[in-house]
Amino acid sequence: MINYFEFYNIPESFILDEKALKAKYYQLSREYHPDFYANEPQQKQDEILQLSTQNTNAYRTLSDPDLRIQYILKEHGVLEEGKNELPSDFLMEMMELNEELMELEFDFDAAKLHEIGEKSSGLMATMDNDILPVLQRYPELHGVTKEEALQEIKTYYLKKKYLLRIQETLSKFAARS
């Protein structure tokens, strides 16, 4: 299966022109629409169906910033099942947030819930700001190898996933109160 960036004939990047991506998706959707190939031999119909499916999957992946990061990291073999370690200071911070959330389970406190929410949102905003220059410059990096940049983006991605789980728990608490 062809790489999604190659499929759309665009350079690999973490930050894409959303309008151009959507235009390419619609162009290929028309080009590979199975109905236009109904009278073709079965082999051609199968090929078009495969291209149509690839177009949908490529657009779904590349149009979502988190899925796009995950896709690029996997394409470069940086994101591997079970081999994704986070810095211990971050894990300690998350452990403290999780403990605070467990305490809320037994002794709900709206102010504490708000405080945890602010803390996790602040962490997320700081992480987003810190990684943005790397995402913008990739793959044209100065003073950093592509591999180092991908490792930095991987750490950001994994931290973000962790924080999103905490924010999901927070929203469940908020829904109950």
Side-chain angles (χ1 to χ4, degrees):
M1 202 163 305
I2 190 170
N3 172 295
Y4 291 160
F5 291 99
E6 291 170 17
F7 185 73
Y8 280 145
N9 198 23
I10 56 175
E12 180 181 271
S13 178
F14 288 100
I15 298 176
L16 297 177
D17 177 343
E18 301 289 333
K19 282 186 180 152
L21 182 68
K22 190 176 273 192
K24 188 69 173 177
Y25 167 70
Y26 285 130
Q27 175 208 334
L28 293 177
S29 290
R30 286 187 295 275
E31 194 175 318
Y32 299 136
H33 198 288
D35 290 350
F36 297 139
Y37 297 87
N39 296 327
E40 295 290 329
Q42 189 61 46
Q43 186 178 354
K44 181 70 173 176
Q45 287 182 38
D46 292 347
E47 178 189 328
I48 292 300
L49 184 60
Q50 191 174 1
L51 288 167
S52 175
T53 301
Q54 176 144 13
N55 183 40
T56 301
N57 292 340
Y59 182 72
R60 204 174 280 149
T61 299
L62 298 182
S63 65
D64 179 303
D66 291 333
L67 290 177
R68 185 167 55 238
I69 287 175
Q70 180 184 38
Y71 178 76
I72 293 171
L73 293 174
K74 282 184 175 178
E75 281 292 298
H76 288 280
V78 177
L79 197 62
E80 302 172 51
E81 292 301 313
K83 291 190 178 174
N84 302 314
E85 290 150 22
L86 285 165
S88 56
D89 59 335
F90 177 79
L91 290 173
M92 289 299 290
E93 205 171 350
M94 293 305 101
M95 196 169 83
E96 288 170 16
L97 275 179
N98 277 316
E99 284 173 1
E100 290 176 28
L101 282 171
M102 281 196 298
E103 287 173 23
L104 284 181
E105 192 73 53
F106 300 109
D107 184 18
F108 184 77
D109 176 352
K112 190 71 178 165
L113 177 69
H114 181 74
E115 181 188 317
I116 298 168
E118 291 291 308
K119 201 182 293 182
S120 72
S121 295
L123 282 168
M124 186 78 81
T126 300
M127 285 175 16
D128 288 345
N129 286 338
D130 290 350
I131 202 66
L132 189 60
V134 179
L135 296 176
Q136 289 171 328
R137 286 194 312 267
Y138 180 89
E140 306 301 321
L141 304 153
H142 303 290
V144 210
T145 66
K146 189 173 179 178
E147 184 59 36
E148 288 169 330
L150 287 169
Q151 287 299 329
E152 194 176 333
I153 294 165
K154 171 187 168 181
T155 300
Y156 160 79
Y157 173 76
L158 294 171
K159 284 180 173 182
K160 183 175 181 181
K161 275 181 64 173
Y162 209 108
L163 272 169
L164 287 172
R165 283 195 299 269
I166 286 177
Q167 289 178 338
E168 213 174 89
T169 304
L170 284 168
S171 63
K172 286 177 187 168
F173 271 113
R176 285 192 299 191
S177 58

